[in-house]
Amino acid sequence: MSLDFGPAVALSCRECGARYPLGPSFACPECFGPLEAAYDFGTVTRADIESGPANIWRYRSLLPVPADVASKPNMNPGWTKLVKAGNLGRALGIKSLHVKDDSGNPTHSFKDRVVAMAVEAARNFGFHTLSCSSTGNLAGAVTAAAARAGLDACVFIPANLEKPKIAMARVFGGKLIGIDGTYDDVNRFCSELIGDPLGDKWGFTNINLRPYYAEGSKTLAYEIAEQLGWRLPEQIIIPIASGSQLTKIDKGFKELVTLGLVEDTPYKIFGAQAAGCSPVSTAYKAGRDVVQPVKPDTIAKSLAIGNPADGPYVLDIARRTGGGVEDVTDPEIVAAIKLLAATEGIFAETAGGVTVGVLKKLLEDGRLDPEAETVVLNTGDGLKTLDVIADEAEPSAVIRPSLDAFRATV
């Protein structure tokens, strides 16, 4: 089989550094550490990137994809808005604030980015079925991308997910299987399925395709830097589910510096969790290097991973950059969703409520510099989590159709 992963040349273990040929592998045979794509980038210029399409494929020379990737059937996500959030900034007392709003992706979450990478890997390996374990957004992104790419899809979710996310995953076709348990139970089941004949020729986006899939999150870093005028933000707040998104944004920033595409300026990375599922925040506050698993209990179901695979790496990055990890309660999440909507016209799902809630908390505690250029991520659309704002599902008033009635109400 001839493989074409563009500039990616090997899989490298993040623990021991051992290298392996590109393949559908995700754990190092030597030390069981996670594998990730390693590259030989060559020369990449700003002009090369800027001449590309207005989606993630403008960065194809930095990703594990073939050079002709833009010509293949894919969802073509990315190049979402970086919103200058002056109203929210004034409400919170921060001078220069931006919201990276990834709700504008094809299935309305950042997961379209990572799934686009997984689709190309699945094609390379001759897989016929795309699958995943999901807390919701990934399931919809996988079934949509599979439909577009002409692949079969079978995805697995905790059975108690939000109804809009279930409906979105099903409408694109394929099979949607609910598991009676948490996301961690679902993920364990999928890992077993990979070793069974039933899972032969299946590409599990966040398991056996994970080294390629995860690289899609780097495109958030690339876009933020380019949209800021080819510079790094001074502070950034990123939600934590598995922790992969945060680690890959850091990797993306470092690659831009190494390639000379941006100036090497300091940046602080802050991770954000819901208090009902905050194992990384708990470890950070306790000064520990080990993340102890928890049983999730939060409205932020898209972040409800009790045993985050990249948790220890998140701790390293938060400490290395001078950032941190914080969590907010469910009521704080809802209040933050409403605040972002009322100030910037951005309707975030619960993960966006977590990041904005943590932004507010860090500012109040003096842990964020209100003078520094800051980016906060919104990774999904609030229409997927309408149940958390059920109190808003009524008119402000109901009146007779007359001016007198309206005057009386006003």
Side-chain angles (χ1 to χ4, degrees):
M1 183 190 305
S2 177
L3 303 179
D4 184 358
F5 284 97
V9 294
L11 294 179
S12 176
C13 177
R14 288 165 71 177
E15 289 295 325
C16 71
R19 285 199 167 199
Y20 304 94
L22 295 165
S25 305
F26 60 99
C28 175
E30 295 294 324
C31 72
F32 303 107
L35 298 177
E36 65 177 356
Y39 299 91
D40 180 3
F41 288 129
T43 301
V44 181
T45 68
R46 292 180 184 178
D48 293 336
I49 292 170
E50 291 168 349
S51 66
N55 56 51
I56 59 173
W57 305 134
R58 68 198 287 112
Y59 307 110
R60 61 192 178 278
S61 56
L62 303 173
L63 298 168
V65 295
D68 64 348
V69 62
S71 66
K72 299 180 179 182
N74 205 300
M75 298 297 285
N76 300 329
W79 204 243
T80 55
K81 293 180 180 179
L82 183 69
V83 179
K84 188 164 180 58
N87 295 331
L88 179 60
R90 282 186 289 273
L92 297 179
I94 184 167
K95 184 177 179 180
S96 180
L97 178 64
H98 295 81
V99 177
K100 181 59 172 170
D101 184 15
D102 243 26
S103 66
N105 277 312
T107 68
H108 308 289
S109 89
F110 93 94
K111 291 295 187 180
D112 291 314
R113 297 174 181 271
V114 288
V115 171
M117 301 296 129
V119 166
E120 294 310 311
R123 286 186 173 125
N124 253 314
F125 297 132
F127 292 157
H128 56 64
T129 299
L130 207 61
S131 186
C132 69
S133 52
S134 173
T135 57
N137 285 321
L138 179 57
V142 165
T143 53
R148 173 77 176 131
L151 300 171
D152 293 331
C154 183
V155 300
F156 301 87
I157 59 170
N160 67 344
L161 277 188
E162 301 97 335
K163 295 296 184 183
K165 290 180 181 175
I166 292 175
M168 172 170 271
R170 289 199 65 185
V171 76
F172 296 115
K175 293 183 175 64
L176 178 70
I177 308 298
I179 301 280
D180 185 15
T182 67
Y183 169 82
D184 299 290
D185 296 321
V186 177
N187 200 46
R188 279 192 295 271
F189 168 79
C190 289
S191 297
E192 293 174 8
L193 184 55
I194 288 175
D196 189 274
L198 278 171
D200 186 44
K201 294 294 182 180
W202 284 34
F204 289 80
T205 60
N206 50 349
I207 306 178
N208 62 345
L209 297 180
R210 190 176 184 85
Y212 314 95
Y213 156 95
E215 295 293 283
S217 287
K218 295 193 309 180
T219 61
L220 279 161
Y222 303 153
E223 286 180 22
I224 289 168
E226 185 177 355
Q227 289 169 330
L228 286 175
W230 291 108
R231 66 175 186 272
L232 303 181
E234 295 173 274
Q235 302 172 144
I236 184 168
I237 301 170
I238 304 167
I240 298 171
S242 71
S244 175
Q245 183 186 73
L246 186 149
T247 65
K248 294 301 181 179
I249 288 176
D250 177 62
K251 182 181 181 183
F253 285 161
K254 290 192 293 184
E255 287 174 350
L256 292 177
V257 170
T258 300
L259 291 166
L261 294 169
V262 298
E263 185 181 348
D264 187 4
T265 55
Y267 57 88
K268 295 181 179 181
I269 292 182
F270 294 85
Q273 292 199 292
C277 185
S278 55
V280 185
S281 175
T282 299
Y284 177 81
K285 292 174 183 178
R288 297 198 306 262
D289 295 325
V290 176
V291 177
Q292 186 171 351
V294 300
K295 185 175 181 180
D297 182 17
T298 174
I299 60 171
K301 293 181 180 178
S302 61
L303 303 182
I305 297 180
N307 188 18
D310 283 70
Y313 302 107
V314 169
L315 294 174
D316 292 343
I317 291 166
R319 289 165 180 156
R320 189 195 80 231
T321 65
V325 187
E326 187 52 87
D327 56 85
V328 283
T329 65
D330 285 357
E332 289 173 315
I333 293 168
V334 174
I337 290 171
K338 294 180 179 180
L339 177 62
L340 178 60
T343 55
E344 298 298 342
I346 297 172
F347 185 20
E349 70 157 37
T350 47
V354 169
T355 53
V356 174
V358 166
L359 167 70
K360 183 175 184 290
K361 190 171 185 178
L362 292 172
L363 283 167
E364 291 172 346
D365 293 347
R367 286 178 284 166
L368 276 183
D369 181 356
E371 299 295 315
E373 188 165 56
T374 303
V375 173
V376 60
L377 266 61
N378 172 44
T379 52
D381 195 315
L383 292 173
K384 296 184 177 188
T385 55
L386 286 172
D387 56 318
V388 305
I389 55 160
D391 60 321
E392 301 286 352
E394 297 289 342
S396 300
V398 177
I399 65 171
R400 290 176 290 106
S402 73
L403 288 173
D404 287 343
F406 181 60
R407 288 190 187 97
T409 301
V410 173

